[in-house]
Amino acid sequence: MREGQILYVQLENKVTEFAAHYSSEDCFPMSVFDQAQVDALKPYIGPRGEDLNHQTSEHPFAKVLREADLDPDDGKFHVGHGFQVVVCTHFDKDEYVERLQVSVPLVKMQAIKVIPRGEP
């Protein structure tokens, strides 16, 4: 987040049980899959943005921050420009909902099908 890099979750053709086994509010919150929560980071972007420090912010991503994540000079955390979350799967558009609906909150995400050049 700090560097503005994309958080890329590559599922390929696997169903990872994020909701049941691989998430917690203070480590990897399910809200990371919620586009509205990612959009809500806008006030925290850049060095002049608000502080996302877990002691002062109500944003759910603030709970994952540790002391080592904070700026050593001022104890603040700012989100870098360009931070986004991308989840990639190789499931066909007809099967991804059935396969992933128990794993990630699909209703809070935007599905995109990549069509290689030359295909109809």
Side-chain angles (χ1 to χ4, degrees):
M1 264 190 312
R2 178 194 338 237
E3 301 299 324
Q5 300 294 315
I6 293 173
L7 172 58
Y8 182 75
V9 180
Q10 184 174 345
L11 298 176
E12 294 188 0
N13 62 349
K14 306 287 188 253
V15 176
T16 302
E17 299 274 341
F18 286 104
H21 302 290
Y22 297 106
S23 67
S24 70
E25 291 303 309
D26 65 346
C27 186
F28 192 88
M30 289 300 290
S31 57
V32 77
F33 298 112
D34 186 343
Q35 184 61 45
Q37 292 297 341
V38 175
D39 290 343
L41 288 171
K42 287 181 181 161
Y44 304 99
I45 292 176
R48 294 186 182 166
E50 295 177 29
D51 181 15
L52 188 64
N53 187 326
H54 61 284
Q55 297 173 350
T56 58
S57 174
E58 296 295 320
H59 193 283
F61 290 11
K63 295 177 185 174
V64 303
L65 298 177
R66 306 292 184 256
E67 291 300 318
D69 297 322
L70 307 178
D71 185 304
D73 295 329
D74 62 10
K76 295 181 179 182
F77 185 90
H78 301 285
V79 178
H81 292 279
F83 175 74
Q84 287 294 320
V85 177
V86 173
V87 178
C88 181
T89 179
H90 293 181
F91 291 124
D92 188 53
K93 74 175 192 172
D94 297 329
E95 66 179 334
Y96 86 93
V97 172
E98 179 184 336
R99 302 287 300 268
L100 296 177
Q101 65 186 347
V102 297
S103 177
V104 295
L106 293 175
V107 297
K108 297 183 177 193
M109 302 166 71
Q110 172 64 55
I112 299 171
K113 178 179 171 125
V114 176
I115 301 172
R117 189 180 305 206
E119 287 190 23

